Amino acid sequence: MARAEAPETAPDPTAAAQAATLEVPPELVAQSLGEWFRAWLTRIRSGDSGVLPVLLALLIITIVFEAISPNNVFLSAGNIVNLFQQSAVFMVLAMGELFVILLGEIDLSIGYAGGVGAAITVQLVQPSTAKWPWWGAVLAGLLVCVVIGGLHGTLVTRLRLSSLIVTLGGLLTWQGAMLIILGLALSGYPSLAGLDANRQVLYNLMNGTIDPVVSWVAMAVVVIGIAALLWFGDSRRRRSGLVAPPVSLTLIKIVLIAIVGISVVAICNINRAANGTLAGVPWVIPIVLAVFGAWMVLLQRTKFGRYVYAIGGNPEAARRAGINLAAVRTLCFIICSFTAGIGLLLYASYLGGMSGNINGGQLVLYAIASVVLAGTSLFGGRGKVLHGILGGLVIGGIYNGMGLLGLDVRWQFIVTGLVLLVAITIDSLSRRSATSGSAARV
Amino acid sequence: MGQVIDESPTAEPRFKARGVDKHFGPVQALTQVDLDLYPGQITALCGDNGAGKSVLTKCIAGIYEIDHGQFFWEGQPVHVRTPRDAARLGIETVYQDLALADNLDIVQNMFLGRERLRNGFLYEDDMERAASKTLADLRVTTVRSIRQPVASLSGGQRQSVAVAKAVMWNSKLVMLDEPTAALGVVQTKMVLDLVRRLRDRGLAVMMISHNLNDVFEVADRIAVVHLGRMVAQGRASSFDRQSVVDYMTTGASSRSGQQANADGATSGTR
Ligand SMILES: Nc1ncnc2c1ncn2[C@@H]1O[C@H](COP(=O)(O)OP(=O)(O)OP(=O)(O)O)[C@@H](O)[C@H]1O
Ligand SMILES: [Mg+2]
């Protein structure tokens, strides 16, 4: 008689229960802050430490570079703003790359796919070429990025090619395309340093500043808005008996967000010019926040976002749930390239023009390193948009700090490589401890 | 053609399969399979390992498209090409490999592919309420939090979630592929009770099990597959353990004739 039921396949109830205790996110079962904190410590000890390592890394980077940078310039207002600007490019690229990494795929081409878009935009606003309005040029550049992403996604989903190979091909192809577009320059090096309004707008994306008073008001509106959403959301869930964090935890979250908001605006509003005045929040900060907010809502609050996680976690389960895998996957590649277009536009703005020398291969590695080192899994299904921000800050910090020390690009390559290695090691180690914690599972 | 051991009930089957073929490359997984599933009845699908039970289930669920044959839903010919087609008819499935996304929580898994929206955004509160009501109805009380990721559940808890996921919808046919395989005694009883409750609600239920105790405990009808062919199908009372084992292992039974005759039903070719 065929009996599939063997006694040894039955899970050991105590071991399973133990694994469950370790893995349940603390905020789900805790009733008080103390309980939440204890559960959180247990979870960290079991190997699932969330964003803690990346926050620690940020702290270490800050302390080390502040100590060894000439005249302790690392924490000066001017350098912090510069650090934000440099990190912005990595953050935006990382937030785009996140979408394909969540699927368990990879996109190696974003540096040059975005570069093609940025090159088109910069070329189109040149008075000596097309003389387009800045918004038209930006739209055209981003549209081309959308097409590139759609092409990658179609090749991966319809022809079932490996995304690694497709986008490796893309890395080369789009670099060539970018160079061709830049080579069309009738004006020589396509620069954004012009006095005409269109080029000024693009130049200001990174370098323009918002009036200090306006910054304070805008920051207050944003923080109060987020706080209200958090507070009313959590208390509604508490009232109707749904899973919700303790009141004190909601308050702590709100206070943290307010502290970050106030600090950023306060630092940016310090005069950072050697002579004269230069103060205010650079435009790039609200731009990055907009990308962050949009992609977070998309991933956490929409069907599409839910399907991205489902496909990354178990594609077969997603398929059986009737999800159109090809469409979701293709859309992720499109979002990735589109976001890369924004990232490279910011980079062009930072450089004051578009150069054929940008290193798109290095940019993509920075982007991948950013999310992975903040806790996103390369195996798919696990990661957050916030990881792009935090990881981008770490990578930007290293990049900036090494620049301050006068270490050239050779050392930057080596350190970035090491950081990437460490990040991926952490990823696979935490994965291993997560699986061993639940080895008793069937 | 399978051997018909007794006469079918006079009611129209909710679901009928006729002459279903399915192959994977050179492997002929199903050959000319007929199957009837009646409302308010539990049909146990039996067969040895590799007989084709899961493939048949997946064909009905729209995971695989059949090569030949026809499905009928409440008498009407239908095509089930995708899981969405099946869901639209009211067919829900608990798969042998469960098909849950480990990284999603219980609520997210139960609503996967059918999320409730408000103003275009996920309506989490509503989904959480509905999911916890379903779990409470099924007396699945051992999970610590409905918001914990499925990765942190025990095998039995995962099975319970998979069952709950299938019965949450207004389904008319529920297929369970070895729903008790990983369960302890208590949970097995719970799932079998649940299966009976589904039948009492008038659903058509198909259950695959290798455990003949379970089969004879709950089944109203039994269907036996052997090497991709339906070799016997009929009222549970017209089978006994030995005849089911004979059909499963050899595709025929010398005892069933007597059984069926004793039952006063027309026996098949043998
Ligand atoms: N996707 C597939 N590709 C190729 N062959 C398959 C596939 N799925 C099933 N088969 C084959 O079809 C046959 C029937 O498999 P099926 O899974 O239906 O068996 P089963 O009756 O469910 O067995 P078990 O009791 O072990 O679950 C087997 O020979 C199997 O190898
Ligand atoms: Mg099977």
Side-chain angles (χ1 to χ4, degrees):
Chain A
M1 191 156 80
R3 291 192 56 169
E5 210 183 5
E8 62 269 24
T9 58
D12 169 11
T14 50
Q18 209 175 352
T21 340
L22 294 179
E23 284 174 47
V24 177
E27 59 271 30
L28 296 186
V29 279
Q31 300 300 314
S32 71
L33 193 62
E35 233 176 85
W36 184 89
F37 194 68
R38 273 192 301 279
W40 182 68
L41 283 180
T42 318
R43 186 159 69 121
I44 288 175
R45 273 198 297 271
S46 78
D48 181 6
S49 42
V51 293
L52 198 66
V54 70
L55 291 178
L56 277 179
L58 264 179
L59 192 69
I60 293 171
I61 286 170
T62 311
I63 293 172
V64 169
F65 282 125
E66 175 63 5
I68 64 175
S69 59
N71 306 322
N72 299 351
V73 74
F74 188 76
L75 282 183
S76 67
N79 189 57
I80 292 181
V81 174
N82 187 28
L83 167 63
F84 284 156
Q85 291 172 323
Q86 291 168 329
S87 309
V89 175
F90 306 138
M91 289 176 182
V92 172
L93 289 176
M95 289 189 281
E97 185 75 31
L98 176 74
F99 280 80
V100 287
I101 290 186
L102 278 177
L103 295 174
E105 310 275 352
I106 198 125
D107 187 340
L108 294 177
S109 73
I110 55 171
Y112 292 116
V116 168
I120 289 174
T121 303
V122 173
Q123 284 288 25
L124 284 176
V125 292
Q126 297 299 319
S128 53
T129 53
K131 214 174 174 180
W132 278 30
W134 65 270
W135 52 268
V138 169
L139 274 182
L142 293 181
L143 196 67
V144 170
C145 290
V146 165
V147 172
I148 289 176
L151 191 64
H152 292 162
T154 307
L155 290 174
V156 171
T157 55
R158 308 286 167 192
L159 298 186
R160 295 172 202 278
L161 304 178
S162 134
S163 60
L164 187 82
I165 304 300
V166 168
T167 58
L168 191 60
L171 179 81
L172 291 167
T173 311
W174 307 125
Q175 182 176 17
M178 185 189 80
L179 292 174
I180 290 173
I181 294 165
L182 291 175
L184 295 176
L186 308 171
S187 53
Y189 174 66
S191 150
L192 289 173
L195 284 178
D196 55 299
N198 288 321
R199 278 192 288 176
Q200 289 246 297
V201 169
L202 294 189
Y203 183 77
N204 280 339
L205 291 181
M206 191 56 100
N207 304 298
T209 52
I210 302 168
D211 178 74
V213 180
V214 176
S215 318
W216 281 116
V217 174
M219 188 275 297
V221 170
V222 170
V223 169
I224 291 172
I226 294 173
L229 279 179
L230 268 177
W231 178 260
F232 289 117
D234 282 357
S235 47
R236 190 188 60 235
R237 293 176 60 80
R238 267 191 293 271
R239 265 202 314 281
S240 47
L242 300 172
V243 175
V247 184
S248 42
L249 193 69
T250 311
L251 281 176
I252 289 178
K253 271 192 216 160
I254 292 174
V255 170
L256 278 179
I257 292 171
I259 290 177
V260 170
I262 292 171
S263 323
V264 168
V265 174
I267 292 170
C268 293
N269 282 346
I270 296 173
N271 182 12
R272 52 182 179 269
N275 37 20
T277 31
L278 175 59
V281 176
W283 288 15
V284 67
I285 290 183
I287 294 174
V288 171
L289 282 183
V291 174
F292 172 66
W295 286 173
M296 190 168 68
V297 168
L298 188 63
L299 275 180
Q300 305 299 329
R301 296 271 170 267
T302 69
K303 275 190 179 196
F304 167 76
R306 182 66 40 87
Y307 296 167
V308 173
Y309 283 100
I311 294 172
N314 185 345
E316 185 55 25
R319 200 167 78 83
R320 291 184 196 171
I323 294 169
N324 185 342
L325 268 71
V328 174
R329 283 195 168 123
T330 307
L331 202 50
C332 282
F333 277 95
I334 290 175
I335 290 174
C336 179
S337 294
F338 172 80
T339 317
I342 300 176
L344 265 290
L345 192 58
L346 293 177
Y347 196 40
S349 176
Y350 183 76
L351 298 175
M354 196 58 195
S355 147
N357 292 329
I358 65 157
N359 191 336
Q362 193 188 359
L363 285 175
V364 68
L365 291 186
Y366 281 149
I368 295 170
S370 296
V371 283
V372 170
L373 123 169
T376 293
S377 170
L378 277 176
F379 302 95
R382 212 183 54 189
K384 292 179 174 161
V385 187
L386 182 65
H387 292 166
I389 299 281
L390 295 176
L393 215 47
V394 169
I395 298 284
I398 296 172
Y399 184 83
N400 173 287
M402 301 200 45
L404 292 180
L405 296 180
L407 293 173
D408 65 12
V409 71
R410 290 170 292 185
W411 289 102
Q412 285 178 18
F413 285 163
I414 291 176
V415 171
T416 314
L418 289 177
V419 168
L420 185 64
L421 208 61
V422 170
I424 289 175
T425 311
I426 291 174
D427 178 33
S428 70
L429 283 183
S430 71
R431 207 175 123 88
R432 203 174 306 159
S433 68
T435 31
S436 67
S438 50
R441 227 185 292 135
V442 181
Chain B
M1 282 293 149
Q3 180 178 8
V4 178
I5 296 181
D6 64 353
E7 280 175 334
S8 307
T10 43
E12 173 76 11
R14 179 154 287 164
F15 174 87
K16 272 194 304 197
R18 287 294 174 265
V20 170
D21 285 348
K22 176 71 197 170
H23 70 91
F24 298 100
V27 181
Q28 190 71 30
L30 298 175
T31 313
Q32 288 291 307
V33 168
D34 294 351
L35 178 70
D36 294 336
L37 300 173
Y38 293 88
Q41 300 217 2
I42 299 169
T43 305
L45 188 61
C46 301
D48 220 337
N49 290 125
K53 307 180 296 296
S54 297
V55 170
L56 179 57
T57 309
K58 287 178 180 173
C59 287
I60 300 173
I63 306 283
Y64 300 142
E65 233 182 295
I66 56 176
D67 302 330
H68 295 288
Q70 180 70 53
F71 290 156
F72 297 87
W73 183 256
E74 291 172 339
Q76 301 301 312
V78 286
H79 296 281
V80 182
R81 294 203 183 85
T82 65
R84 278 203 192 277
D85 291 346
R88 218 172 286 128
L89 292 173
I91 301 175
E92 291 297 326
T93 314
V94 179
Y95 297 97
Q96 190 168 14
D97 52 2
L98 296 186
L100 300 171
D102 270 354
N103 57 335
L104 299 185
D105 66 32
I106 296 176
V107 183
Q108 294 171 340
N109 264 293
M110 286 175 69
F111 277 90
L112 189 59
R114 284 182 278 201
E115 290 78 5
R116 290 190 190 161
L117 300 181
R118 191 174 53 172
N119 307 325
F121 292 106
L122 296 172
Y123 191 7
E124 296 285 355
D125 296 9
D126 196 40
M127 291 193 273
E128 190 173 324
R129 269 190 291 269
S132 71
K133 184 176 175 305
T134 308
L135 288 176
D137 287 351
L138 303 184
R139 300 190 200 107
V140 180
T141 50
T142 58
V143 295
R144 280 161 58 92
S145 166
I146 188 164
R147 283 297 183 184
Q148 72 192 81
V150 162
S152 66
L153 298 178
S154 75
Q157 290 171 328
R158 295 163 66 88
Q159 199 105 42
S160 310
V161 170
V163 173
K165 179 184 178 180
V167 303
M168 184 156 66
W169 313 97
N170 271 330
S171 33
K172 294 179 158 178
L173 163 61
V174 172
M175 299 186 289
L176 306 103
D177 195 347
E178 304 200 27
T180 58
L183 298 185
V185 180
V186 179
Q187 285 94 336
T188 299
K189 188 173 172 313
M190 200 185 75
V191 169
L192 294 183
D193 282 347
L194 168 68
V195 168
R196 284 198 200 93
R197 247 175 286 149
L198 296 179
R199 166 187 62 193
D200 297 342
R201 277 202 248 154
L203 274 68
V205 181
M206 184 182 93
M207 186 180 88
I208 297 178
S209 180
H210 286 289
N211 185 332
L212 290 188
N213 290 331
D214 294 355
V215 167
F216 278 99
E217 204 181 316
V218 297
D220 303 298
R221 295 173 54 79
I222 291 177
V224 188
V225 197
H226 177 68
L227 299 178
R229 291 174 187 274
M230 187 64 73
V231 288
Q233 195 173 174
R235 269 206 306 274
S237 55
S238 58
F239 290 87
D240 63 12
R241 270 156 195 282
Q242 192 52 49
S243 63
V244 172
V245 173
D246 287 347
Y247 278 121
M248 274 168 49
T249 49
T250 65
S253 170
S254 50
R255 293 167 57 91
S256 68
Q258 305 156 7
Q259 267 297 133
N261 285 338
D263 222 35
T266 51
S267 83
T269 48
R270 201 159 291 162

